[in-house]
């Protein structure tokens, strides 16, 4: 004999036909979230933030630019320019925090973040403007060699006729 539990038993509850379907609960007015206050102790501790970033990057890769962003109360992010080649517009970051009523600053996280224009592709430039004169001359030379080779194949094309294969026509095979 098995005993069914309440979770095993399917329950379907339908409202009686005489009652209108229940309406959704009234939506609460969206509460405005206040902006976080910038903690003066955390904002002033640039040396701790730079030391945190220097744990993952060489000091020569950390630029002079510096910005502080308040994320939450008692949590700020220090941003430093990245001078690595290929990382234009990127920033090293160190997030600093502290416990309420504490004077001890802690490095929470460090890393590298893209800036606002770091991930944008450069403006499109047509091929004719991008290619150098040397590349154009090399391409024209290769095209001329290919055409000369095709012409030589067509002139001496009796080898292809013996196999039963038709010689290539103009525009084919290129």
């Amino acid at each position: 004999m098995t005993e069914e539990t309440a979770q095993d038993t399917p329950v379907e509850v339908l409202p009686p036909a005489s009652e209108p379907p229940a309406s959704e609960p009234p939506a609460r007015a969206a509460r405005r979230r206040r902006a976080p206050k910038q903690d003066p102790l955390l904002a002033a501790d640039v040396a701790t933030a730079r030391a945190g970033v220097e744990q993952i990057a060489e000091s020569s890769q950390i630029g002079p630019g510096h910005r502080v962003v308040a994320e939450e109360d008692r949590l700020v992010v220090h941003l430093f320019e990245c001078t690595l080649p290929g990382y234009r517009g990127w920033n090293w970051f160190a997030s600093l925090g502290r416990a309420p009523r504490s004077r001890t600053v802690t490095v929470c996280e460090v890393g590298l973040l893209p800036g606002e224009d770091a991930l944008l592709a450069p403006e499109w430039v047509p091929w004719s403007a991008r290619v150098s004169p040397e590349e154009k001359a090399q391409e024209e030379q290769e095209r001329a060699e290919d055409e000369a080779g095709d012409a030589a194949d067509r002139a001496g094309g009796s080898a292809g006729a013996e196999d039963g294969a038709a010689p290539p026509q103009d525009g084919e095979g290129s």
Side-chain angles (χ1 to χ4, degrees):
M1 182 171 182
T2 62
E3 190 176 312
E4 283 190 356
T5 61
Q7 69 189 45
D8 295 335
T9 308
V11 178
E12 290 185 32
V13 179
L14 298 173
S18 61
E19 291 182 15
S23 63
E24 294 183 24
R28 286 193 235 172
R31 293 175 68 183
R32 277 189 126 176
R33 186 167 182 236
R34 67 175 180 80
K37 291 186 278 184
Q38 187 161 343
D39 189 306
L41 181 67
L42 296 174
D45 202 351
V46 179
T48 301
R50 183 173 282 276
V53 172
E54 286 176 351
Q55 291 178 358
I56 62 168
E58 296 175 14
S59 59
S60 63
Q61 299 171 343
I62 305 169
H66 177 255
R67 210 168 69 229
V68 178
V69 178
E71 292 291 325
E72 293 289 331
D73 292 345
R74 294 180 301 281
L75 179 68
V76 299
V77 176
H78 289 258
L79 298 164
F80 302 93
E81 287 179 32
C82 177
T83 59
L84 283 170
Y87 285 85
R88 180 186 58 84
W90 288 66
N91 297 300
W92 294 106
F93 76 90
S95 60
L96 303 181
R98 67 180 182 94
R101 294 184 293 280
S102 171
R103 305 305 266 166
T104 305
V105 175
T106 304
V107 177
C108 302
E109 186 176 11
V110 293
L112 188 61
L113 290 173
E116 292 179 18
D117 65 340
L119 298 179
L120 296 177
E123 189 174 320
W124 183 78
V125 179
W127 177 83
S128 59
R130 288 189 310 241
V131 70
S132 69
E134 294 84 22
E135 290 174 317
K136 284 183 184 179
Q138 182 180 1
E139 185 175 317
E140 289 173 6
Q141 180 182 1
E142 289 173 0
R143 189 178 302 132
E145 289 173 0
D146 288 346
E147 289 174 2
D150 289 345
D153 288 344
R154 281 193 299 268
S158 61
E162 293 172 4
D163 296 3
Q169 301 295 320
D170 285 353
E172 287 186 10
S174 52

